[in-house]
């Protein structure tokens, strides 16, 4: 069993990831800004989950919370400009200081290619606001590529993810959007995140998941 730290554990991707990892018997540290707001993450009946306060954009906080873990999963997201770059910078520095090499992160469909060499954010398939957010999200990739971490970014399709139970299955692709991926659930994304955290198949790349 693995000792997993999940950043952004209170969000729509973080909650099912924490639940899935705990269901499999892994020990989970769920990082949120204010644990008092998320009592259900480690409620009665949930074993192996510890909720702690932390900031994924602060390297010292990342290092302090990540020490002793086998792998980190980053599901944290924010609309603030520069959030993803700040988080990537803090994760690279903080995880390295803590001795954690494996990082599995949630990407964005807007960074996937809609044609060879053409990411969605450089095409006319997205409205301008989505392009800006997708570029900001994708800006973390050069920082990860320049690091020594064993990282993978899983990018879901360009759809609004379902918050329901999911299908219990998923597929991985490459840097291009997967054709026909018109529906996807956070629960299935959580399956992929925990799988790549505990039994890695991809390394140092962004890949589509659907």
């Amino acid at each position: 069993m693995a000792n997993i730290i999940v950043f952004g554990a209170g969000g729509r991707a973080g909650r099912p990831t924490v639940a899935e990892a705990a269901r499999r018997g892994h020990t989970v540290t769920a990082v949120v800004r204010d644990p008092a707001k998320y009592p259900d993450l480690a409620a009665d009946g949930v074993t192996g989950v510890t909720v702690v306060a932390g900031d994924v954009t602060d390297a010292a906080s990342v290092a302090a919370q990540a020490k002793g873990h086998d792998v980190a999963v980053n599901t944290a997201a924010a609309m603030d400009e520069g959030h993803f770059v700040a988080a990537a910078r803090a994760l690279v520095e903080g995880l390295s200081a803590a001795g954690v090499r494996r990082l599995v992160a949630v990407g964005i469909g807007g960074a996937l290619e809609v044609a060879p060499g053409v990411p969605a954010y450089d095409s006319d398939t997205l409205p301008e606001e989505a392009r800006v957010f997708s570029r900001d999200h994708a800006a973390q990739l050069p920082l990860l590529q320049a690091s020594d971490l064993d990282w993978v970014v899983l990018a879901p399709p360009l759809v609004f993810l379902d918050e329901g139970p999911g299908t219990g299955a998923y597929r991985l692709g490459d840097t291009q959007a997967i054709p026909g991926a018109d529906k996807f659930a956070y629960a299935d994304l959580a399956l992929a995140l925990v799988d790549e955290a505990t039994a890695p198949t991809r390394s140092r790349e962004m890949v589509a998941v659907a």
Side-chain angles (χ1 to χ4, degrees):
M1 294 294 103
N3 196 350
I4 304 172
I5 185 167
V6 179
F7 293 94
R12 288 178 292 181
R15 286 177 177 272
T17 301
V18 169
E20 178 62 22
R23 184 189 69 79
R24 299 190 197 182
H26 300 297
T27 300
V28 184
T29 298
V31 182
V32 295
R33 285 189 177 271
D34 183 0
K37 294 182 178 180
Y38 304 98
D40 55 322
L41 283 175
D44 291 343
V46 178
T47 59
V49 177
T50 301
V51 183
V52 301
D55 182 356
V56 73
T57 65
D58 182 272
S61 177
V62 170
Q65 300 296 0
K67 187 176 181 180
H69 291 80
D70 301 308
V71 58
V73 178
N74 182 29
T75 64
M79 296 298 293
D80 302 340
E81 184 179 356
H83 166 82
F84 296 102
V85 167
R89 186 176 291 115
L91 285 164
V92 168
E93 181 180 340
L95 293 180
S96 297
V100 179
R101 289 204 67 249
R102 180 68 173 172
L103 169 65
V104 182
V106 177
I108 192 168
L112 294 172
E113 295 178 351
V114 292
V118 182
Y121 59 68
D122 279 343
S123 74
D124 58 3
T125 60
L126 291 179
E128 182 58 26
E129 183 178 359
R131 292 184 195 180
V132 171
F133 184 67
S134 295
R135 287 192 186 100
D136 192 42
H137 212 303
Q140 67 180 307
L141 293 173
L143 296 175
L144 295 176
Q145 290 162 348
S147 77
D148 293 327
L149 295 179
D150 175 19
W151 59 273
V152 64
V153 172
L154 301 184
L158 279 166
V159 297
F160 288 105
L161 271 64
D162 185 358
E163 296 185 50
T167 65
Y170 66 89
R171 51 185 168 148
L172 296 181
D174 52 26
T175 57
Q176 293 195 17
I178 296 176
D182 56 358
K183 188 176 181 180
F184 197 47
Y186 283 106
D188 293 333
L189 175 61
L191 294 178
L193 291 168
V194 176
D195 281 350
E196 282 298 320
T198 58
T201 65
R202 304 296 183 94
S203 180
R204 298 186 61 80
E205 59 183 325
M206 177 185 69
V207 298
V209 58

